[in-house]
Amino acid sequence: MRETVAERWSRRVILTLLTLFVLVPLYVMLSTAFKPLSNVRDSFTWLPEKLSGEAFVDMWSTVPLGRYLVNSLIVSTAAAVLSVAIAILAAYATSRWRFRGRGVFLASVLSTQMFPGILFLLPLFLIYVNIGNKTGIELYATRTGLIITYLTFSLPFSIWMLVGYFDSIPRELDEAAAVDGAGPMRILFRVLIPTAVPGILAVLVYAFMTAWGEVLFASVMTDETTRTVAVGLSGYSTQYDVYWNQIMAASLVVSVPVVAAFLFLQKYFVAGLTAGAVK
Amino acid sequence: MTTTVSAPDEAPPAPAEKPPKRRRRPTLPYLLLIPAIVLELAVHVIPMLTGIWMSLRELTQFHIRDWSGAPFIGLDNYKVSLDFNSATGKELLHSFWITVAYTALVVALCWAIGLMAAVLLQRPFRGRAILRTLFLTPYALPVYAAVITWSFLLQRDTGALNHVLVDQLHLVNDRPFWLIGGNSFYSLVLTMVWKQWPFAFLCLMAGLQSVPQDLYEAAYMDGAGFWRRLRAVTLPMLRPVNQVLLLVLFLWTFNDFNTPYVLFGKSAPDQADLISIHIYESSFVTWNFGLGSAMSVCLLVFLSIVSGLYLFFTRKARADA
């Protein structure tokens, strides 16, 4: 199938424009992070007046970024691992058994996407505070509370993608293991999980990203000691000054690991989506 | 999605599915679902029901300490929210329409740009892998990092956009405001599209991979040009992906809180006052949680109706696919 000249050139023009659209903000983020503060105060420049690592040094003391990063890291990792573990169990059940209520389960999992976050933010906040008052188990403004909250955010999509992934693993593999005397849980751990590693990793990254980027609940459900970077970044704009270079440097530090992990695993992500969505 | 059938299976998968071990009434699948169900109940369903309960109470700062004792006022909160002659109702209706416009623009643009990019990247060419990776980057960025970068670009005095428009191209003399006033709506749309279109791209790319190449070859042989192939082959084959994608994009955009919150802070300009920000303000700034809950419930009802209708009208299409 040959491409006409017109098609080739319109493809090039459109892709160039799209590349610019995507690239310009990324470039601004990167270049601003290497500008000295004096350079971001008045007027914008495309190139830094001089390359400076100042922002990367100062950002740690302007706001307690280190503490926020540790909080985010703990919360996001725990939420992602737990969410994926729970999703694996649920996806295994849904993919391998035709039980009563299976359709209802899948549908209701997806319908949680419909709930406006704002609707259950306040009740959840009040429930957490109440549990704390009544039982002494502190969930409000703790990492545990945030972990529990976040893991449910990524759960629906994780289950959905993993069902697709598990469905694409031939049942003959299960049966071969069953013939060897493996029980259902053994089949899960010895056959399905090892075979689905790429999909599981993709879902893990997705769950991590969800928790790492969440703003609304983090702004209500944390205090100074448990604050995550998502909320902490707002600390760089004070009444007197906005430290744009530090904001960009901090954004960069916060983004690079997630972006790298996502881009590295994106083909499995596509595979999971294909399996989950296209069917 | 439509599998509601239970025990005696549809014919094809059945034989493969019943190794001797599983002939008993299955309890294991239910056990495996318990953690997921318990957590979804705890964090989504119970708070949602609590939210509905709260919407029937007069829950203001006076009762927040002992919120279970807040006086029951029936549907009064709903009456106030939906009385479009009162100030509260007017503002809610205003932000509803803003959100409708915002959602329509964002979903349409994300889908169109995503489809364009996915189609153009179908054909192998040098640099394709790099472009694909680059296009996915905005989606992988944490929301606040992406939005904060845009808020920097859109600053009146120190932003890149005004630098280009005013200092470099001399198109405008007076530096426009992008984050307050009428322009703020378009700034919001632009920012959301920038970070959300790659998701459409990702899904559509995944969908295109399942389109058999010989369909294109056949259409090409028949003399179908680019647009004809797009309309006759690509779009019909993408239908199942599109149906899910558009619904998810709609729900995410309509409920979007992060973008306006990071771009404008707690109180958005009037012209870009999305409904979730508006409800947040009504609850947390004026401390009227009962009223805020009533508004959220109205929002949920609206979203359920729209999603329900959407699923209903696309069901036939999905059954055919």
Side-chain angles (χ1 to χ4, degrees), chain A:
Chain A
M1 188 164 52
R2 285 194 37 228
E3 197 180 23
T4 65
V5 178
E7 274 171 26
R8 184 158 55 242
W9 277 100
S10 37
R11 190 190 73 204
R12 284 176 182 163
V13 170
I14 294 173
L15 287 180
T16 308
L17 290 176
L18 207 51
T19 306
L20 279 176
F21 175 53
V22 171
L23 216 50
V24 166
L26 296 176
Y27 168 75
V28 169
M29 185 196 254
L30 190 70
S31 63
T32 308
F34 288 97
K35 287 176 181 173
L37 186 59
S38 58
N39 195 182
V40 295
R41 279 220 170 102
D42 323 310
S43 163
F44 180 81
T45 55
W46 286 104
L47 292 171
E49 273 161 13
K50 72 172 183 22
L51 274 184
S52 151
E54 177 190 314
F56 288 93
V57 178
D58 294 343
M59 65 179 184
W60 302 97
S61 48
T62 311
V63 305
L65 183 66
R67 193 201 305 152
Y68 298 160
L69 271 175
V70 170
N71 283 335
S72 279
L73 209 58
I74 294 174
V75 168
S76 308
T77 310
V81 170
L82 288 171
S83 162
V84 170
I86 294 167
I88 286 176
L89 297 181
Y92 179 47
T94 318
S95 163
R96 287 314 198 240
W97 281 273
R98 294 287 173 270
F99 52 88
R100 192 181 293 271
R102 178 180 176 275
V104 176
F105 174 74
L106 272 176
S108 47
V109 153
L110 266 190
S111 68
T112 57
Q113 296 292 315
M114 210 150 63
F115 300 168
I118 193 80
L119 171 61
F120 58 94
L121 169 67
L122 183 71
L124 195 63
F125 161 78
L126 291 176
I127 290 172
Y128 278 7
V129 170
N130 252 36
I131 292 179
N133 290 343
K134 298 238 165 77
T135 66
I137 304 168
E138 288 298 339
L139 293 171
Y140 169 66
T142 62
R143 293 184 194 131
T144 319
L146 216 51
I147 291 169
I148 294 174
T149 314
Y150 284 170
L151 78 88
T152 64
F153 287 2
S154 47
L155 201 52
F157 208 65
S158 305
I159 292 176
W160 203 42
M161 280 208 347
L162 283 178
V163 170
Y165 232 92
F166 285 167
D167 278 347
S168 68
I169 298 173
R171 276 145 206 268
E172 285 74 25
L173 289 180
D174 301 26
E175 279 149 34
V179 169
D180 292 342
M185 290 318 279
R186 227 180 131 77
I187 292 177
L188 174 64
F189 283 101
R190 285 296 161 82
V191 180
L192 285 175
I193 293 181
T195 320
V197 163
I200 292 172
L201 280 178
V203 172
L204 199 65
V205 170
Y206 168 77
F208 187 88
M209 280 168 57
T210 308
W212 191 255
E214 207 285 327
V215 180
L216 173 60
F217 284 70
S219 68
V220 174
M221 300 278 213
T222 58
D223 61 15
E224 189 47 41
T225 56
T226 51
R227 192 148 299 159
T228 60
V229 276
V231 186
L233 280 193
S234 60
Y236 290 105
S237 33
T238 67
Q239 230 176 316
Y240 310 102
D241 216 337
V242 183
Y243 304 107
W244 283 114
N245 56 342
Q246 295 182 38
I247 294 180
M248 294 303 147
S251 300
L252 213 58
V253 168
V254 163
S255 307
V256 164
V258 207
V259 172
F262 178 78
L263 295 179
F264 183 68
L265 289 166
Q266 45 107 355
K267 68 172 177 215
Y268 304 119
F269 214 81
V270 176
L273 274 177
T274 321
V278 180
K279 264 187 195 160

Side-chain angles (χ1 to χ4, degrees), chain B residues 216 225-237:
Chain B
Y216 285 108
F226 174 82
W227 292 107
R228 192 66 211 271
R229 291 199 299 271
L230 183 70
R231 231 175 36 138
V233 182
T234 311
L235 287 180
M237 293 301 286

Side-chain angles (χ1 to χ4, degrees), chain B residues 183-202:
Chain B
N183 290 335
S184 56
F185 176 77
Y186 298 100
S187 302
L188 190 61
V189 170
L190 183 65
T191 307
M192 182 64 168
V193 168
W194 186 80
K195 80 182 171 63
Q196 204 60 47
W197 79 268
F199 180 74
F201 169 63
L202 195 66

